[in-house]
Amino acid sequence: MSSHESIIREPLITGDNITYSKITDDILVPVENMPNKAWWIGFTVASAGAMLWLYAVSYTFWYGIGSWGLNKTVGWAWDITGFVWWVGIGHAGTLISAVLLLFRQNWRNSINRSAEAMTIFAVICAATYVVSHMGRPWMALYTLPLPNQYGSLWVNFNSPLIWDVFAISTYFSVSLVFWYTGLLPDIATIRDRATGLRRKIYSVLSFGWNGSVKTWQRFEAVSLVLAGVATPLVLSVHTIVSMDFATSLEPGWHTTIFPPYFVAGAIFSGFAMVQTLMLVTRKVLGFENYITMFHIESMNKIILLTGSIVGVAYLTEFFIAYYSGGEYEQYTFLNRFIGPYWWAGCMMYGCNVLMTQLMWFKSVRTNIALSWGLSIIVNIGMWFERFVIIVVSLHRDFLPSSWAMFYPTWVDVSVFIGSIGVFFTLFLLFLRVLPAVAMAEVKLLLKSSSEQEKKKLLEQGHVVKEQAEFYKENLIKYDSVEQAEYSNI
């Protein structure tokens, strides 16, 4: 093995007879061939959701946001809930791409491409909520500090909503450049294998990539620079989103714990969505050798960590409300359990705290069906968290005479369900035109972290027996490893 990686480290690529050419062939199957039946079923359902979104948003633009279930007391509801939910989901892509790259975590190589794409599409879905909520969507341009023909028109920089515009636009721009930069060597590979019009299109998209040493040096340098720029965004973007609430005097919002609490929750929900997408992609596209049980368990560990942080934040909120002595603050948190929205509070705490703790057990972390189910439960719980923070805090404020209930209309529900359809439509189209796994980065692991290279070490007998046994015991959880082969070594 070229890098002399320890035998006790679990492999990041499984299977025998894996070559550079085979990696390319396996990963480009969905790009170079006609889509299978599963893709068409998913695309049909997602497209139907996207059409529902188009109709609901058009209805909103025509009749105004009065078509939503908002009232004088609850002026923010499903719209801002969906916005914050989508922004949170978009966090995992940048974390996997930038932070784990800086920390040299090689297990990111198989999942970073899809996670980055997920970030782009999630931020797009979040941005649609901002434009829809404006009431006058044709005025969206004026959220930017651009002078107009009537004189200088500047936005109110004291408003946290304007901070959102700058934070999210910056986050989207950097994430898009980072994602596309990483795609260049893979696009060049597709270009070299394509013919006719496809070759011309991918030739333009590859920006003249020639694979020379100098090109690779520049590619790595730019990737590290972009990773360094993107890393602070992981912390800043959702911190700024949390300021939409924390800078107010509303009970349940006015607290200093919101920035770290929101960041942990964003990473929590983001990794859960990556897990949801990658487990399905892994099975449908046949990527079991490249997205292994090690990747699944590692993501579950991060979900467990961030879920535990979110649980501590929940307890801290209750303690702050109790210790403050403020009757309004205390009632706000008590209302989550005894108020009319008690069911939303139970979903929030049950999904995000109680269910997540099951991942302390290795048998749960390494069970694909349970991992997929828990990842969906986490995202359901995180949506309810945003709903509880926004609606349950607003519907009963300082004046009992202004208390009101929020009831979503079919437009509220359709915009949210439709945004999920838009997200999956974009993701499925991405799977058809670009590789879901970073080929160039996975190939870097073939001679160091693959099962076949570690198997050679075992066959040569240069490994301590205890380490060999430890390695083989860890392979039991892998569904892509032939256990019978090790009995003959």
Side-chain angles (χ1 to χ4, degrees):
M1 294 166 60
S2 57
S3 64
H4 305 288
E5 183 179 274
S6 172
I7 188 65
I8 64 174
R9 293 185 67 89
E10 299 173 31
L12 299 178
I13 301 176
T14 58
D16 293 323
N17 302 319
I18 304 293
T19 62
Y20 295 126
S21 177
K22 183 173 175 21
I23 292 175
T24 302
D25 293 338
D26 290 345
I27 294 176
L28 290 185
V29 165
V31 178
E32 298 179 334
N33 297 278
M34 293 298 293
N36 55 25
K37 184 178 179 180
W39 187 91
W40 278 115
I41 293 174
F43 185 73
T44 302
V45 175
S47 298
M51 294 302 295
L52 175 65
W53 174 86
L54 184 63
Y55 176 74
V57 170
S58 300
Y59 189 93
T60 300
F61 286 175
W62 187 260
Y63 290 100
I65 60 176
S67 59
W68 296 349
L70 305 177
N71 52 58
K72 289 184 178 180
T73 302
V74 185
W76 282 0
W78 275 55
D79 49 325
I80 305 300
T81 300
F83 164 73
V84 179
W85 188 72
W86 279 118
V87 172
I89 285 176
H91 264 58
T94 304
L95 180 75
I96 292 172
S97 301
V99 179
L100 297 185
L101 174 63
L102 294 177
F103 282 96
R104 305 297 183 184
Q105 296 297 305
N106 289 331
W107 63 270
R108 63 174 282 280
N109 292 12
S110 295
I111 60 174
N112 66 324
R113 177 64 47 74
S114 294
E116 291 166 13
M118 183 199 76
T119 291
I120 302 299
F121 306 145
V123 173
I124 290 174
C125 291
T128 61
Y129 271 101
V130 176
V131 177
S132 299
H133 192 267
M134 290 186 66
R136 300 178 181 178
W138 54 89
M139 304 291 285
L141 179 65
Y142 294 116
T143 58
L144 302 175
L146 301 175
N148 61 19
Q149 63 270 31
Y150 302 107
S152 297
L153 176 65
W154 295 89
V155 296
N156 179 14
F157 290 103
N158 292 324
S159 170
L161 297 177
I162 297 302
W163 307 346
D164 279 347
V165 173
F166 286 97
I168 294 171
S169 60
T170 303
Y171 183 63
F172 178 79
S173 301
V174 173
S175 298
L176 183 64
V177 172
F178 196 11
W179 175 63
Y180 195 80
T181 300
L183 276 167
L184 289 177
D186 290 354
I187 292 176
T189 300
I190 302 174
R191 172 201 65 193
D192 296 339
R193 294 163 59 98
T195 57
L197 180 61
R198 290 184 74 251
R199 184 180 181 90
K200 293 180 180 179
I201 294 174
Y202 284 107
S203 179
V204 173
L205 296 176
S206 65
F207 284 98
W209 179 279
N210 57 16
S212 66
V213 174
K214 190 67 175 177
T215 302
W216 276 106
Q217 288 177 340
R218 289 171 176 169
F219 170 78
E220 294 178 359
V222 169
S223 297
L224 286 174
V225 170
L226 290 174
V229 172
T231 298
L233 291 178
V234 176
L235 302 176
S236 68
V237 172
H238 226 53
T239 295
I240 292 174
V241 171
S242 74
M243 294 297 182
D244 294 350
F245 308 97
T247 53
S248 74
L249 297 179
E250 189 73 27
W253 291 4
H254 188 61
T255 174
T256 55
I257 197 178
F258 262 32
Y261 166 25
F262 268 51
V263 170
I267 298 172
F268 181 47
S269 61
F271 264 90
M273 182 60 82
V274 172
Q275 192 78 292
T276 301
L277 295 175
M278 296 312 298
L279 288 177
V280 176
T281 302
R282 175 182 188 266
K283 183 64 177 178
V284 173
L285 300 184
F287 289 163
E288 288 88 352
N289 287 338
Y290 309 109
I291 304 173
T292 69
M293 194 59 67
F294 183 84
H295 298 95
I296 297 170
E297 188 177 10
S298 297
M299 286 191 285
N300 281 336
K301 288 178 180 177
I302 294 180
I303 292 173
L304 173 61
L305 172 64
T306 51
S308 299
I309 295 174
V310 168
V312 171
Y314 292 161
L315 295 175
T316 304
E317 280 188 314
F318 278 97
F319 176 76
I320 290 174
Y322 162 76
Y323 194 70
S324 67
E327 56 184 1
Y328 301 105
E329 191 79 15
Q330 291 173 353
Y331 176 77
T332 297
F333 286 94
L334 188 63
N335 185 48
R336 294 183 179 181
F337 290 105
I338 65 173
Y341 291 112
W342 63 268
W343 47 270
C346 291
M347 288 291 293
M348 166 185 168
Y349 296 113
C351 294
N352 296 338
V353 180
L354 299 180
M355 297 301 294
T356 307
Q357 300 308 306
L358 294 174
M359 290 186 179
W360 283 106
F361 301 100
K362 191 179 185 70
S363 58
V364 175
R365 295 197 307 269
T366 56
N367 186 297
I368 293 178
L370 287 177
S371 296
W372 190 71
L374 286 173
S375 68
I376 294 177
I377 289 174
V378 165
N379 272 312
I380 292 173
M382 288 306 293
W383 187 90
F384 274 102
E385 179 200 278
R386 278 63 182 256
F387 180 83
V388 168
I389 289 175
I390 296 167
V391 175
V392 179
S393 296
L394 285 175
H395 89 111
R396 290 186 173 178
D397 56 9
F398 294 100
L399 295 175
S401 60
S402 66
W403 287 2
M405 291 292 292
F406 165 76
Y407 300 102
T409 65
W410 68 267
V411 184
D412 290 285
V413 179
S414 298
V415 171
F416 175 67
I417 295 176
S419 69
I420 298 176
V422 171
F423 174 81
F424 280 102
T425 299
L426 294 172
F427 188 80
L428 288 168
L429 290 174
F430 156 73
L431 295 180
R432 283 288 297 127
V433 298
L434 294 170
V437 175
M439 294 183 292
E441 297 186 38
V442 169
K443 290 175 183 177
L444 295 174
L445 307 176
L446 182 59
K447 297 299 182 182
S448 60
S449 303
S450 64
E451 181 196 3
Q452 64 183 20
E453 290 298 320
K454 293 176 181 293
K455 192 180 293 183
K456 289 179 183 178
L457 277 184
L458 294 176
E459 291 172 343
Q460 293 169 1
H462 300 314
V463 179
V464 178
K465 183 178 180 180
E466 289 76 11
Q467 292 183 344
E469 291 298 326
F470 179 80
Y471 172 72
K472 287 188 285 186
E473 287 176 3
N474 280 334
L475 293 180
I476 295 175
K477 64 184 180 183
Y478 282 73
D479 59 344
S480 54
V481 171
E482 294 292 339
Q483 300 292 337
E485 297 179 2
Y486 288 89
S487 61
N488 300 323
I489 300 177

